[in-house]
Amino acid sequence: MLGTDKLPIEETLEDSPQTRSLLGVFEEDAAAISSYSNKLFHAMRRIYDAQNELSAATHLTSKLLKEYEKQRFPLGGDDEVMTSTLQQFSKVIDELSSCQAVLSTQLADAMMFSIGQFKERDLKEILTLKEVFQIASNDHDVAINRYSRLSKRRENEKTKFEATEDVYTARKKQHQTMMHYFCALNTIQYKKKIAILEPLLGYMQAQINFFKMGSENLNSQLEEFLSNISSSVQSVRREMDNDMENTQQTIQDMEAASEPLYLPDPDPKKLPVNRNLTRKAGYLNIRNKTGLVSSSWDRHYFFTQGGNLMSQARGDVAGGLVMDIDNCSVMAIDSEDRRYCFQITSFDGKKAVILQAESKKDCEEWISTINNISKRIYLTDNPEETAARVNQSALEAVTPSPSFQQRHESMRPGVPHARRTSSTGSIGSDSSALTALSLDSIVAPDTPIQFDIISPVSEDQAGQPRTPGQTGRRTNPFGESGEKSESEDSILHQLFIVRFLGSMEVKSDENTEVVYETMRQILAARAIHNIFRMTESHLLVTCDCLKLIDPQTQVTRLRFPLANVIVYGTHQENKRLFGFVLRTAGGRAEGRPLSVCYIFESNNEGEKICDSVGLAKQIALHAELDRKVLEKQKEIEKVKEKKQKEISKQKQIEKDLEEQSRLIAASSRPNAEGQFVVLSSSQSEDSDVGDEGKKKRESEA
């Protein structure tokens, strides 16, 4: 077998346009193999189906011949000769049917199985790896663009760390996927031959075995040819197994060696800067002016070719000249919005190019390489030794240069660098065409759509309408509060990351259809008006309310009482979208309740948020029922206590009456000398007081 061309797995990490172009050729070849294999599979399928049909027809014929003697023909008599003849034919055809069945089984095992495995497993594996590679490549581009947009002036360590981790993960995923994809494309060249030759070999062997059942005489030359083909197939299989083993070992070694290269900004201690290069290639971002003061950054593959700097966009066949870098000057600059930037100026000063590298190491290597080329070191016999000798002078040319705007702003002290503003996006008259498509029974016509959350800082400003559901008291921006939060005693605290899509007034809040219709209108309005910005917040679900919290400042942006949340639900198809309807006391007309539907996007947690809200409402309902039961018990205890007091009071009155009667009886009874007992003045006063107290107690009773 002749050696086949292979995709270079060693160049997967660099991912150059040349490698992508070669990959395109292999993908076209794989598509051609897939098309041809499908046609061959259908042709062999027809042979197999025809053989099964022949076997079934032969068996049916033998069965009908056996049943001839049971037939009663009106005009025919018993013909023993005909019957015995057909019985002999039946036996022969029955044996032939058995041979046909054996042939069908051999065709299924030797011919259809191998080509079917190649079609269903190997070709589908190529398609799956291609899709995974495209996704990994797109994720890598997104991560690189996000990392490249990191601002130097407002550098955030958390954002930088997240961007770095995204680039690391995306690059590692792309590299690993690309290596396995290349390996599969290389292997398909071997499997193609096996998938074509092995079914043919199985077909011929099945036919030979079929004919051997009737005759032992077979062409020895054909057997020798088939034997050679079988040996060739085994040789290709062994070669494929050896190549697969070597490829897997290469992938493992390259994964271990490429681990530090996945980071966009590697540790300089592990990967030191090489300042002796006279050739370099890699991806850079180039700054292009789009207006007088505006500019854009484009990512291209740059490489040096002699004394020229070339660039090539992904998908281009060849690179184009950027500028002549002989006798040019290069220096690192401090860009206003990008890091690791450097500027190349031509020898006559008429052309300048600003480029951005991925890391500080890459930036310094590009500067050193261009410095070496500008001195024409690449024309010497040993460029690297010559570059090493002039390396010190080359490093002196790498001096950061502040931009004109930074120098201008440094001369204006007291001017703030940034001003934080809050913006709201709503549609007034322009939304009439959109709301005409909605259901009037669900959404009020001519309803403005709120696309952003009003900041708590601006909620008390004049001329700013207060968002429904928003509290009137401004939240302390330092997170301090003189009162205890009502949610601190809540037994439910669940936090979700959400992005606010919009809100609008609705006419109905009886079912979830209003949520679905509001989702449709808000998404359509965002698409029509090209509104893509979304405010990210933390949604805190408690037993008392729903809170939207600023993830940076931990300030409560909006608070929605849980009792006012009437309807909530997720989208039928996109479970990341969810919303709820909030009913408030105020409205356009006095006395009419106002219902507003709020729509959010979550990270695959729409159903979880709805379950959490439902759980919070259940807990709140049980808490309210428990509170009512407790209040009722307290009322019953108060009534019992009041009755007990009345009974005690009545007993005291009866006791006082008995005491009064005893004193009266004692005062009217004569003593032993026949004289009446005269009460003292104090006793008589006590008696009068007792009478008055008795009358008073009787009146109170």
Side-chain angles (χ1 to χ4, degrees):
M1 285 290 177
L2 296 176
T4 58
D5 294 333
K6 295 183 181 179
L7 284 169
I9 299 179
E10 296 80 7
E11 298 180 7
T12 53
L13 182 59
E14 184 179 1
D15 190 18
S16 64
Q18 290 82 358
T19 305
R20 287 295 182 103
S21 299
L22 185 59
L23 174 61
V25 175
F26 273 74
E27 288 177 344
E28 291 179 1
D29 183 77
I33 293 174
S34 177
S35 176
Y36 179 80
S37 300
N38 287 329
K39 295 178 181 179
L40 184 61
F41 174 82
H42 289 303
M44 292 184 176
R45 184 73 185 183
R46 291 181 62 184
I47 295 175
Y48 176 67
D49 293 338
Q51 182 61 42
N52 288 335
E53 183 65 22
L54 178 61
S55 177
T58 306
H59 179 70
L60 179 61
T61 302
S62 175
K63 183 178 179 181
L64 291 174
L65 293 177
K66 289 180 181 179
E67 294 176 355
Y68 179 82
E69 62 181 0
K70 299 178 182 179
Q71 301 297 322
R72 294 293 180 262
F73 299 102
L75 299 178
D78 294 335
D79 191 353
E80 296 181 357
V81 177
M82 185 65 177
T83 301
S84 61
T85 304
L86 292 180
Q87 288 294 330
Q88 293 295 328
F89 272 109
S90 173
K91 292 180 181 179
V92 174
I93 295 177
D94 193 23
E95 292 178 359
L96 183 60
S97 175
S98 300
C99 296
Q100 296 286 355
V102 173
L103 177 59
S104 298
T105 304
Q106 291 179 351
L107 289 178
D109 295 338
M111 181 179 69
M112 297 306 302
F113 178 76
S114 58
I115 193 170
Q117 285 289 98
F118 177 74
K119 176 178 176 293
E120 297 295 330
R121 183 184 63 187
D122 299 327
L123 294 180
K124 285 187 177 181
E125 180 186 8
I126 293 294
L127 295 178
T128 303
L129 288 175
K130 182 179 180 180
E131 294 177 358
V132 173
F133 169 68
Q134 291 294 337
I135 294 173
S137 180
N138 294 336
D139 293 344
H140 178 257
D141 293 340
V142 172
I144 284 295
N145 289 333
R146 180 185 176 189
Y147 179 82
S148 301
R149 289 195 301 269
L150 290 177
S151 177
K152 182 178 180 182
R153 295 175 58 190
R154 293 180 296 179
E155 187 169 359
N156 189 337
E157 292 296 328
K158 180 180 178 181
T159 305
K160 179 182 177 182
F161 176 76
E162 292 177 353
T164 303
E165 287 294 322
D166 290 344
V167 173
Y168 170 80
T169 304
R171 182 166 292 176
K172 183 176 182 179
K173 180 180 178 182
Q174 180 189 4
H175 185 210
Q176 294 177 349
T177 306
M178 199 172 184
M179 287 191 294
H180 289 287
Y181 185 34
F182 279 23
C183 176
L185 289 175
N186 291 336
T187 308
I188 202 69
Q189 301 299 321
Y190 299 102
K191 293 182 178 180
K192 172 185 67 175
K193 301 174 182 178
I194 297 175
I196 295 175
L197 295 178
E198 203 168 41
L200 296 177
L201 177 62
Y203 172 75
M204 296 302 298
Q205 287 180 345
Q207 293 291 346
I208 291 173
N209 292 332
F210 171 73
F211 289 113
K212 275 186 177 180
M213 294 178 186
S215 175
E216 294 296 329
N217 298 324
L218 186 64
N219 191 349
S220 59
Q221 184 177 0
L222 182 60
E223 286 186 349
E224 182 180 0
F225 170 75
L226 296 178
S227 177
N228 294 334
I229 294 298
S230 177
S231 301
S232 177
V233 170
Q234 294 298 326
S235 176
V236 172
R237 185 177 296 277
R238 286 193 297 271
E239 186 179 353
M240 181 191 70
D241 294 338
N242 294 333
D243 186 78
M244 282 287 296
E245 183 178 358
N246 296 332
T247 302
Q248 292 296 333
Q249 184 63 36
T250 303
I251 290 176
Q252 294 178 4
D253 296 339
M254 291 193 65
E255 285 181 352
S258 303
E259 187 72 22
L261 301 178
Y262 295 138
L263 291 171
D265 196 359
D267 187 2
K269 296 181 180 179
K270 296 181 180 179
L271 296 174
V273 178
N274 187 359
R275 304 183 186 277
N276 303 329
L277 298 175
T278 55
R279 290 185 303 172
K280 189 168 177 60
Y283 281 97
L284 295 173
N285 293 328
I286 182 170
R287 183 176 183 179
N288 297 320
K289 284 200 175 277
T290 57
L292 294 176
V293 293
S294 60
S295 61
S296 64
W297 293 84
D298 296 327
R299 181 176 169 83
H300 294 285
Y301 184 82
F302 287 80
F303 58 95
T304 60
Q305 193 175 57
N308 298 325
L309 179 63
M310 313 289 289
S311 71
Q312 185 176 0
R314 184 172 294 178
D316 293 347
V317 179
L321 177 65
V322 177
M323 65 182 303
D324 184 5
I325 53 178
D326 276 341
N327 298 322
C328 70
S329 62
V330 58
M331 65 176 62
I333 62 172
D334 291 334
S335 179
E336 298 169 359
D337 56 347
R338 298 290 180 114
R339 303 178 305 161
Y340 311 135
C341 294
F342 58 98
Q343 177 175 314
I344 307 173
T345 306
S346 61
F347 69 97
D348 55 359
K350 294 182 179 181
K351 185 176 182 180
V353 177
I354 297 178
L355 302 172
Q356 180 196 14
E358 290 183 4
S359 62
K360 183 178 180 181
K361 170 185 176 296
D362 201 20
C363 179
E364 293 182 4
E365 285 187 352
W366 271 104
I367 292 174
S368 300
T369 303
I370 295 174
N371 266 320
N372 295 335
I373 295 175
S374 67
K375 297 178 176 62
R376 298 190 176 184
I377 298 178
Y378 66 94
L379 298 176
T380 60
D381 296 334
N382 196 340
E384 290 188 359
E385 288 186 5
T386 306
R389 289 196 299 267
V390 298
N391 189 25
Q392 188 63 32
S393 61
L395 290 175
E396 294 176 358
V398 187
T399 55
S401 174
S403 64
F404 173 80
Q405 183 177 357
Q406 290 177 330
R407 292 197 301 267
H408 182 65
E409 290 179 355
S410 64
M411 298 174 63
R412 298 172 58 192
V415 178
H417 293 284
R419 181 174 298 171
R420 185 176 182 180
T421 60
S422 62
S423 61
T424 59
S426 63
I427 300 177
S429 60
D430 295 339
S431 65
S432 60
L434 177 64
T435 55
L437 302 175
S438 64
L439 301 175
D440 294 339
S441 61
I442 296 179
V443 180
D446 298 331
T447 302
I449 300 177
Q450 189 77 26
F451 290 113
D452 203 353
I453 301 174
I454 299 180
S455 174
V457 177
S458 61
E459 66 181 22
D460 292 336
Q461 294 179 357
Q464 292 287 348
R466 183 172 298 172
T467 305
Q470 190 172 352
T471 58
R473 181 175 60 86
R474 181 179 298 178
T475 306
N476 192 338
F478 297 100
E480 301 172 355
S481 176
E483 300 178 359
K484 186 178 180 180
S485 174
E486 68 275 5
S487 63
E488 290 182 1
D489 297 333
S490 176
I491 62 176
L492 179 65
H493 285 82
Q494 290 190 352
L495 196 67
F496 302 94
I497 298 177
V498 298
R499 289 169 291 279
F500 181 70
L501 293 177
S503 62
M504 62 185 299
E505 181 184 351
V506 295
K507 295 175 64 176
S508 172
D509 55 4
E510 297 178 355
N511 51 36
T512 56
E513 293 297 330
V514 63
V515 178
Y516 305 151
E517 177 64 20
T518 307
M519 288 179 180
R520 186 189 67 79
Q521 290 204 25
I522 289 178
L523 293 177
R526 279 182 169 268
I528 292 174
H529 295 272
N530 295 326
I531 301 174
F532 304 105
R533 184 175 61 86
M534 293 183 291
T535 303
E536 184 170 292
S537 304
H538 289 173
L539 178 64
L540 178 63
V541 181
T542 66
C543 298
D544 302 317
C545 63
L546 306 179
K547 285 185 177 182
L548 283 180
I549 302 174
D550 192 327
Q552 300 294 332
T553 61
Q554 299 301 315
V555 173
T556 301
R557 291 172 171 169
L558 290 178
R559 181 184 180 277
F560 309 102
L562 191 62
N564 296 346
V565 178
I566 307 303
V567 180
Y568 53 90
T570 61
H571 197 273
Q572 298 98 323
E573 297 178 358
N574 188 358
K575 298 302 181 181
R576 297 173 59 186
L577 300 179
F578 80 98
F580 58 85
V581 178
L582 185 75
R583 181 185 295 173
T584 59
R588 293 180 182 175
E590 294 295 335
R592 184 173 68 85
L594 175 67
S595 297
V596 180
C597 185
Y598 293 84
I599 305 300
F600 299 87
E601 181 187 30
S602 64
N603 298 332
N604 300 322
E605 295 179 345
E607 293 182 347
K608 293 183 180 179
I609 296 176
C610 290
D611 295 340
S612 179
V613 175
L615 178 61
K617 292 183 75 69
Q618 290 181 4
I619 295 174
L621 177 61
H622 289 298
E624 182 66 19
L625 294 177
D626 294 341
R627 185 184 64 79
K628 290 182 179 180
V629 171
L630 185 61
E631 289 180 354
K632 189 173 182 180
Q633 290 179 354
K634 288 183 179 180
E635 291 179 358
I636 294 173
E637 290 178 357
K638 286 182 180 179
V639 172
K640 289 182 179 179
E641 185 178 356
K642 186 176 181 180
K643 289 182 179 180
Q644 188 68 26
K645 287 183 179 180
E646 291 178 355
I647 294 172
S648 300
K649 194 174 183 180
Q650 186 68 26
K651 289 182 179 180
Q652 185 65 31
I653 293 172
E654 292 176 357
K655 185 177 180 181
D656 292 342
L657 289 174
E658 290 177 358
E659 183 67 21
Q660 185 69 23
S661 299
R662 187 182 63 78
L663 292 175
I664 293 173
S667 62
S668 61
R669 187 175 63 249
N671 57 7
E673 297 177 356
Q675 299 178 352
F676 289 94
V677 178
V678 180
L679 296 175
S680 62
S681 60
S682 62
Q683 291 176 345
S684 113
E685 291 176 357
D686 293 340
S687 176
D688 295 337
V689 173
D691 293 339
E692 294 177 357
K694 178 179 178 183
K695 294 179 180 179
K696 186 176 181 181
R697 283 191 293 270
E698 288 177 355
S699 64
E700 291 178 355

